[in-house]
Amino acid sequence: MYFPKPMRLVALACVLLLLFLMFEIFHKPQPIKEPRIVYPDMMEDPNLKETHEPTGKLWRAADDYAAGNPSSSRINATILSLVRNSEINGMIQSMRDLERTWNHKFNYPWTFFNDEPFTAEFKERTRAETNASCHYELIPKEHWAVPAWINDDLFRESAKMLAEQGIQYGDVVSYHQMCRWYSGLFYRHPALQHTRYYWRVEPNVHFFCDVDYDVFRYMHDHNKTYGFTINLYDAPQSIPTLWPETLKFLEAHPEHNKDETLTARPWLEDKERRPGHNQKANGYSTCHFWSNFEIADMEFWRGKAYEDYFNHLDRAGGFFYERWGDAPVHSIGVGLFEDASRIHWFRDIGYQHIPYFNCPNSPKCQGCKKGLFTDGDDFLFKEDCRPNWFKYVGMG
């Protein structure tokens, strides 16, 4: 049977319309991918709950923090950054965020460190970002150089093996030097001799929330030693002998052993959540505070327990033969030699260092999705060690 062309076109249009309607009825659209916020060991991310400032007395900007005032309420503290001249743009980004959210109210000084002299451009541009004073310090060569007791051939071979295992920065000499410097040498710099507290800030980080109290005064008044925002697992291949060396130190120095019920040692030794990490790291969970953000009391690092511990690790050579980072070294230090009650989660400070976040649920925060841990690939979610911290220590 022959149908005129107009009728064939109408029939085709009807068939296409029918197929479209069937597709709309039976097709289930894929939901928009949202950041995961539920964790195996937690009912939900605690940052989904409304976030408030810490309790107790807090010092406000109204308490006289004007720049240049020698009688201000500031205590002996500084914002601290190890940064290269070539990282100036990233440093400006970080300064603008922290000045906008916090330091324009309190005007704490910035202290910059480098293993090379800072350029005039670096000094000019950083000074333009703050009303606070800025200090530019050169790291002593003896603090930065590879120690004489490190075997160069073994170091090069170890760095090659780390790179083959995919350990980030494992074959970058300056990264090993940086980890060692931050682990046990930065607080010995003459420029910090009379400084007690510091807030570490790196280039290319973000701060999202208005912080309306003096965090250094909070640390001092509430007897806190160490403050963090992000708590992660480390790559066990980078630190296989760190925990065995730690146990050797504890056996050789029983005077530094604290009552375990007062410390975060169970967090350091957990083997339930990621048993493979504990096994590869020879008894260490690899949980650590991500030290690109840390607010801490240098009197702890200067104390005999930590100084003895760092010197033991330094002589063992793992800062170079492996990739012992300052993050696990600091974390083990405060986890073993300090009361857990003196370690504080700054849950109200919104922070990002790619690819991880600390995102509070607060009207004071902008540009940070509450409860977001990472905006990266799904495999990154298992790197969150906060559930272990909450399990063994709590959320204080």
Side-chain angles (χ1 to χ4, degrees), residues 245-314:
E245 282 296 336
T246 298
L247 296 181
K248 288 181 186 178
F249 172 78
L250 293 175
E251 184 177 0
H253 294 274
E255 72 275 16
H256 295 323
N257 280 268
K258 287 180 67 71
D259 182 348
E260 290 184 18
T261 63
L262 301 177
T263 72
R265 184 163 180 168
W267 168 70
L268 296 171
E269 294 184 306
D270 176 79
K271 57 184 178 182
E272 295 179 7
R273 194 159 179 265
R274 298 191 75 175
H277 273 51
N278 183 287
Q279 183 178 15
K280 292 176 183 176
N282 295 296
Y284 174 34
S285 67
T286 77
C287 287
H288 64 279
F289 309 118
W290 216 21
S291 58
N292 46 69
F293 175 109
E294 59 183 10
I295 301 173
D297 182 350
M298 284 184 279
E299 291 304 295
F300 176 81
W301 309 133
R302 293 166 177 147
K304 184 166 176 54
Y306 186 81
E307 279 276 71
D308 287 349
Y309 177 57
F310 169 75
N311 289 333
H312 175 92
L313 296 182
D314 200 22

Side-chain angles (χ1 to χ4, degrees), residues 111-129:
T111 305
F112 301 98
F113 292 92
N114 195 345
D115 64 313
E116 298 177 352
F118 283 105
T119 63
E121 179 194 7
F122 187 97
K123 294 178 181 180
E124 180 181 359
R125 291 182 62 187
T126 48
R127 284 175 179 145
E129 297 297 329

Side-chain angles (χ1 to χ4, degrees), residues 179 183 234 238-239 242-243 246 267-268 284 286-291 306 309 313 319 323-335:
C179 290
S183 291
D234 208 347
S238 69
I239 48 173
L242 176 57
W243 191 249
T246 298
W267 168 70
L268 296 171
Y284 174 34
T286 77
C287 287
H288 64 279
F289 309 118
W290 216 21
S291 58
Y306 186 81
Y309 177 57
L313 296 182
F319 290 111
R323 196 209 64 182
W324 294 356
D326 55 278
V329 171
H330 279 186
S331 301
I332 293 173
V334 294

Side-chain angles (χ1 to χ4, degrees), residues 63-348:
D63 295 319
D64 194 3
Y65 283 89
N69 179 6
S71 302
S72 78
S73 298
R74 283 183 293 275
I75 60 175
N76 54 338
T78 190
I79 305 167
L80 183 152
S81 184
L82 173 64
V83 57
R84 295 189 180 280
N85 290 306
S86 59
E87 297 175 303
I88 179 61
N89 291 333
M91 195 69 244
I92 294 299
Q93 150 63 46
S94 300
M95 289 186 72
R96 286 180 180 174
D97 267 18
L98 190 57
E99 287 289 329
R100 172 179 52 82
T101 56
W102 182 71
N103 200 43
H104 79 276
K105 303 164 221 177
F106 299 98
N107 293 296
Y108 274 96
W110 289 81
T111 305
F112 301 98
F113 292 92
N114 195 345
D115 64 313
E116 298 177 352
F118 283 105
T119 63
E121 179 194 7
F122 187 97
K123 294 178 181 180
E124 180 181 359
R125 291 182 62 187
T126 48
R127 284 175 179 145
E129 297 297 329
T130 179
N131 290 323
S133 60
C134 293
H135 307 280
Y136 305 90
E137 305 296 340
L138 188 65
I139 298 173
K141 292 186 182 300
E142 62 270 22
H143 285 185
W144 193 255
V146 177
W149 59 84
I150 298 299
N151 182 296
D152 288 341
D153 292 334
L154 180 56
F155 177 27
R156 285 194 292 269
E157 184 62 27
S158 300
K160 180 181 176 182
M161 292 174 62
L162 288 169
E164 290 172 350
Q165 294 180 72
I167 300 301
Q168 191 176 29
Y169 308 125
D171 58 348
V172 180
V173 176
S174 62
Y175 191 83
H176 292 264
Q177 293 169 305
M178 179 273 291
C179 290
R180 176 176 179 257
W181 184 77
Y182 260 135
S183 291
L185 296 171
F186 80 96
Y187 53 86
R188 302 179 187 179
H189 195 286
L192 298 176
Q193 182 179 358
H194 301 294
T195 304
R196 180 169 177 180
Y197 297 95
Y198 69 96
W199 183 338
R200 177 173 164 181
V201 176
E202 294 198 351
N204 292 308
V205 300
H206 289 279
F207 297 93
F208 300 102
C209 308
D210 289 329
V211 179
D212 297 321
Y213 62 95
D214 183 342
V215 299
F216 296 126
R217 281 274 189 181
Y218 172 79
M219 296 284 288
H220 179 271
D221 294 349
H222 296 267
N223 202 27
K224 300 297 183 182
T225 296
Y226 191 90
F228 71 96
T229 53
I230 295 172
N231 188 326
L232 301 172
Y233 287 92
D234 208 347
Q237 302 93 326
S238 69
I239 48 173
T241 66
L242 176 57
W243 191 249
E245 282 296 336
T246 298
L247 296 181
K248 288 181 186 178
F249 172 78
L250 293 175
E251 184 177 0
H253 294 274
E255 72 275 16
H256 295 323
N257 280 268
K258 287 180 67 71
D259 182 348
E260 290 184 18
T261 63
L262 301 177
T263 72
R265 184 163 180 168
W267 168 70
L268 296 171
E269 294 184 306
D270 176 79
K271 57 184 178 182
E272 295 179 7
R273 194 159 179 265
R274 298 191 75 175
H277 273 51
N278 183 287
Q279 183 178 15
K280 292 176 183 176
N282 295 296
Y284 174 34
S285 67
T286 77
C287 287
H288 64 279
F289 309 118
W290 216 21
S291 58
N292 46 69
F293 175 109
E294 59 183 10
I295 301 173
D297 182 350
M298 284 184 279
E299 291 304 295
F300 176 81
W301 309 133
R302 293 166 177 147
K304 184 166 176 54
Y306 186 81
E307 279 276 71
D308 287 349
Y309 177 57
F310 169 75
N311 289 333
H312 175 92
L313 296 182
D314 200 22
R315 282 289 175 173
F319 290 111
F320 296 93
Y321 301 143
E322 297 178 11
R323 196 209 64 182
W324 294 356
D326 55 278
V329 171
H330 279 186
S331 301
I332 293 173
V334 294
L336 291 177
F337 309 128
E338 185 55 282
D339 291 356
S341 63
R342 299 186 67 178
I343 302 171
H344 179 68
W345 177 34
F346 278 103
R347 62 185 301 172
D348 57 315

